[in-house]
Amino acid sequence: MTSEIRPFRKIYRKKTKEINVGKVNVGGNNPITVQTMTNTLTTDHKSTIEQINKVTEVGADIVRVSCPDENSTKSLKTIIRNVDVPIVADIHFHYKRAIEAAENGAHCLRINPGNIGEKKRMAEVISAAKNNNCSIRIGVNAGSLEKDILEKYREPCPEALVESALRNIKIIEDMDFSNFKISVKSSDVFLSIAAYRLLSDKTNYPLHLGITEAGSYLPGSIKSSIGFGSLLLDGIGDTVRVSLSDDPVEEIKVGNEILKSLNLRNRGVRIISCPSCARQAFQVIETVKILEEKLSHIKEPITLSIIGCVVNGPGEAKQTDIGITGGGKNNHMLYLNGIDTEKVTTNEMIDKIVSLVEEKVANLQNK
């Protein structure tokens, strides 16, 4: 028994151009990456570094920070020295901020070339990106389309977003630059899905998936899951950002769970658990919450099944690394690699599982 879950349907990803965001490669045959954005003031070095390190610990591959002014771009040097993840500088309108960010160590610039202004300014941004090995994300958003495109289509629609993206792609390609990825975001799930599908048919650059301004934790997670899931099942998408009105840590957790559910990423503990009912022989919901917290630091792929009774418990336990099936008289069956091994009581169950997971991780690291 291994931690690898073999899907009935294999997802065949579209092979896009490979680019680099610092030490992380995006596109091509590289794993789909998960990213987020800080919500601290970038000029507050301590808080920003602390937040970046927190999201890195739970699985962030790339982190974006806002650079609205010169003091923010100057702060990048200090921030980048103290974190271990590529940093994207979020730039809007002022081309000098993009140049400063590249020169101060940003690994990627999030810009909308159409908002930068005249071509001479864009050429200076591209030159700074080239000289500092800095990639670019073309960020098209339904809420900030170019005036002439909005007048042409009258409202944001897939064709409008893609026309904006293709226009900006040409601006950058004409300047002999190709180290970039693209996003066409909207808060409307259907609009986003249609735009990404249309863009994927028209370009081979890596795509950054996002349902922008998706809302608070629950509705935002659901909208993002529907949007990302639909696209990823079609093989579309090279990096993702879940946009929640919540702690950036939660964005990373949700993004990783979406990829794990599609067998596109294996990181950390995957818990299969029942919703609980009157048959449960222990408090399943509370047990799962405690285990998620105690095992949140685990990075190696491990599968657990936490099932409250014997109806589905043995079957699920045989498919996971470690399993618990609720039994009568406070005796629950423990499974290791699909084999029932011993009975444990409710009081010792959580500590036993945590110990076994950590032991398995140690064995994996020593191989």
Side-chain angles (χ1 to χ4, degrees):
M1 173 64 63
T2 67
S3 297
E4 183 73 22
I5 294 180
R6 297 183 179 181
F8 291 105
R9 174 187 172 187
K10 182 175 176 59
I11 296 175
Y12 293 95
R13 287 175 58 201
K14 175 183 176 179
K15 188 173 181 179
T16 53
K17 174 181 171 58
E18 181 178 307
I19 71 163
N20 71 285
V21 180
K23 65 181 180 181
V24 174
N25 292 328
V26 176
N29 292 320
N30 295 291
I32 297 172
T33 54
V34 179
Q35 54 185 283
T36 186
M37 185 173 182
T38 57
N39 56 23
T40 55
L41 288 175
T42 306
T43 50
D44 182 350
H45 302 156
K46 183 178 179 181
S47 296
T48 302
I49 290 167
E50 183 178 297
Q51 190 171 77
I52 292 172
N53 287 333
K54 280 184 179 178
V55 297
T56 303
E57 179 63 27
V58 296
D61 301 298
I62 300 169
V63 179
R64 180 161 43 118
V65 300
S66 182
C67 292
D69 50 45
E70 188 175 358
N71 286 334
S72 295
T73 57
K74 286 181 178 178
S75 297
L76 289 175
K77 278 189 176 181
T78 301
I79 291 169
I80 290 169
R81 279 200 307 266
N82 290 279
V83 300
D84 190 35
V85 66
I87 298 298
V88 179
D90 192 67
I91 309 294
H92 290 279
F93 303 113
H94 208 304
Y95 78 105
K96 286 188 177 180
R97 301 293 84 82
I99 295 170
E100 293 162 1
E103 291 176 344
N104 284 317
H107 304 99
C108 181
L109 306 174
R110 186 277 188 198
I111 61 172
N112 187 327
N115 290 340
I116 292 295
E118 58 188 57
K119 287 187 177 180
K120 181 181 177 182
R121 291 180 174 180
M122 190 60 208
E124 290 185 50
V125 172
I126 294 297
S127 178
K130 286 181 178 179
N131 292 338
N132 293 280
N133 190 28
C134 183
S135 59
I136 285 174
R137 170 161 73 94
I138 297 173
V140 176
N141 194 303
S144 57
L145 286 169
E146 294 94 323
K147 184 178 179 181
D148 65 310
I149 290 179
L150 267 181
E151 289 176 349
K152 176 180 178 179
Y153 292 98
R154 298 186 179 181
E155 65 179 1
C157 62
E159 292 76 14
L161 268 69
V162 171
E163 182 169 326
S164 176
L166 294 176
R167 173 188 292 181
N168 289 317
I169 287 171
K170 187 174 189 311
I171 290 172
I172 294 182
E173 285 182 332
D174 286 349
M175 296 178 182
D176 193 30
F177 190 80
S178 60
N179 189 25
F180 65 88
K181 52 195 171 90
I182 318 156
S183 63
V184 281
K185 293 185 179 183
S186 169
S187 58
D188 183 294
V189 175
F190 296 101
L191 173 53
S192 298
I193 292 172
Y196 276 110
R197 283 176 174 163
L198 181 60
L199 183 60
S200 180
D201 286 339
K202 293 180 178 294
T203 186
N204 199 42
Y205 288 103
L207 298 184
H208 167 118
L209 300 189
I211 307 296
T212 194
E213 295 138 8
S216 60
Y217 180 79
L218 183 59
S221 298
I222 292 170
K223 287 173 70 175
S224 298
S225 297
I226 293 170
F228 293 1
S230 298
L231 292 165
L232 292 168
L233 283 169
D234 286 341
I236 297 171
D238 301 283
T239 185
V240 303
R241 189 259 170 121
V242 178
S243 298
L244 302 177
S245 302
D246 210 310
D247 190 322
V249 166
E250 300 304 324
E251 293 188 351
I252 295 300
K253 288 181 178 179
V254 173
N256 272 299
E257 285 301 324
I258 291 172
L259 296 182
K260 282 163 68 176
S261 69
L262 295 172
N263 298 296
L264 289 168
R265 184 161 190 164
N266 284 311
R267 182 190 189 280
V269 177
R270 184 198 304 241
I271 299 180
I272 297 167
S273 59
C274 65
S276 83
C277 67
R279 294 192 305 269
Q280 66 179 354
F282 59 89
Q283 293 298 316
V284 174
I285 295 173
E286 188 62 27
T287 299
V288 170
K289 287 180 179 178
I290 294 171
L291 285 171
E292 285 180 335
E293 179 65 27
K294 286 182 175 289
L295 299 173
S296 61
H297 64 288
I298 301 296
K299 296 179 175 60
E300 286 72 15
I302 306 258
T303 55
L304 302 182
S305 58
I306 309 298
I307 310 296
C309 75
V310 296
V311 174
N312 295 317
E316 293 290 357
K318 290 178 181 177
Q319 304 302 315
T320 55
D321 295 311
I322 300 168
I324 284 285
T325 296
K329 297 182 180 180
N330 195 31
N331 283 308
H332 318 300
M333 185 57 71
L334 173 69
Y335 292 76
L336 297 179
N337 299 317
I339 300 172
D340 53 318
T341 57
E342 62 178 293
K343 290 186 177 181
V344 296
T345 65
T346 303
N347 289 338
E348 65 182 343
M349 181 170 60
I350 290 175
D351 288 342
K352 182 74 173 179
I353 293 172
V354 171
S355 175
L356 288 168
V357 169
E358 292 178 342
E359 181 182 326
K360 187 171 182 65
V361 167
N363 290 336
L364 288 171
Q365 292 174 341
N366 290 331
K367 281 186 178 180

